[in-house]
Amino acid sequence: MGQRTSDTRGITFEDAVVPKENVLGGEGNGFKLAMKAFDRTRPIVAAAATGVAKRALDESVKYSLQRKTMGVFIAEHQAVSQMLANMAIDVEAATLLMLRAAQGTDDGILAPYDASIAKAYAADAAMRCSTDAVQIFGGNGYNKEYPVEKLMRDAKIYQIYEGTAQIQRLIIAREILMKAKMMNQ
């Protein structure tokens, strides 16, 4: 599908022996270490997804000001202008959420709540914006001659890697409930 330049593969280790001095964080702590790493990398994924959403918006604005139907630019049709507005809202919100999560990372604060919200929202925004871009382009949006079909293919992976959209929501809910329980003690 998308991100064809990323040659991603699964690997399996069978009967692999890791010397004690090469074990990171101690035996049995690998999952915790990986989760902490995700808190640092999810804002980066959010930034990339936000970039896809922004490109989808930019391409849609440009195309809608060039393409005419019924004697007017398609940008002047209410349905298209509403889609453009929703795309802009998504891009702005994703940008702000990503910046908040990135600032926490820069400040040395591991914040799974902020990182997961930024990643989940930006990934969903990229998918919504790229889907809307294909719709705005009409039949041309499905065509490889135009950039939006690639954006739609590329957007999907952001809802999957670094934790699926559903996993992000579990993390967010866990953090909300943990804070609520602490306040009620």
Side-chain angles (χ1 to χ4, degrees), residues 1-6 41-55 115-128 130 150-169:
M1 276 183 78
Q3 296 194 2
R4 292 184 178 168
T5 58
S6 175
T41 58
R42 284 181 176 136
I44 298 166
V45 173
T50 300
V52 170
K54 176 75 166 95
R55 173 83 188 276
S116 289
I117 285 179
K119 193 269 186 189
Y121 191 88
D124 290 349
M127 199 65 224
R128 282 190 299 270
S130 62
K150 180 186 181 303
L151 293 175
M152 187 174 174
R153 286 188 287 109
D154 288 348
K156 186 60 189 167
I157 193 63
Y158 294 111
Q159 291 179 317
I160 298 169
Y161 67 31
E162 298 275 339
T164 65
Q166 294 76 17
I167 292 295
Q168 300 314 308
R169 283 161 176 81

Side-chain angles (χ1 to χ4, degrees), residues 64-178:
S64 70
L65 291 172
Q66 294 171 347
R67 176 86 166 102
K68 284 186 173 184
T69 62
M70 297 178 274
V72 297
F73 293 110
I74 63 170
E76 297 175 37
H77 295 299
Q78 187 175 16
V80 173
S81 65
Q82 293 285 316
M83 291 170 83
L84 294 172
N86 285 333
M87 292 166 80
I89 291 166
D90 268 345
V91 168
E92 295 298 329
T95 299
L96 292 171
L97 290 167
M98 176 271 300
L99 289 173
R100 184 173 81 182
Q103 184 64 56
T105 301
D106 285 349
D107 292 343
I109 301 166
L110 289 181
Y113 180 78
D114 290 343
S116 289
I117 285 179
K119 193 269 186 189
Y121 191 88
D124 290 349
M127 199 65 224
R128 282 190 299 270
C129 289
S130 62
T131 301
D132 283 352
V134 169
Q135 194 68 26
I136 289 168
F137 274 65
N140 289 334
Y142 204 73
N143 205 322
K144 286 189 177 186
E145 294 173 29
Y146 292 87
V148 294
E149 67 84 25
K150 180 186 181 303
L151 293 175
M152 187 174 174
R153 286 188 287 109
D154 288 348
K156 186 60 189 167
I157 193 63
Y158 294 111
Q159 291 179 317
I160 298 169
Y161 67 31
E162 298 275 339
T164 65
Q166 294 76 17
I167 292 295
Q168 300 314 308
R169 283 161 176 81
L170 288 174
I171 293 166
I172 294 162
R174 182 189 69 212
E175 293 290 320
I176 291 168
L177 296 172
M178 186 174 66

Side-chain angles (χ1 to χ4, degrees), residues 29-42 162:
N29 290 323
F31 183 75
K32 286 180 188 176
L33 285 172
M35 293 304 101
K36 285 182 181 179
F38 283 148
D39 291 342
R40 295 182 200 285
T41 58
R42 284 181 176 136
E162 298 275 339

Side-chain angles (χ1 to χ4, degrees), residues 6-12:
S6 175
D7 190 21
T8 306
R9 303 272 185 225
I11 62 170
T12 303

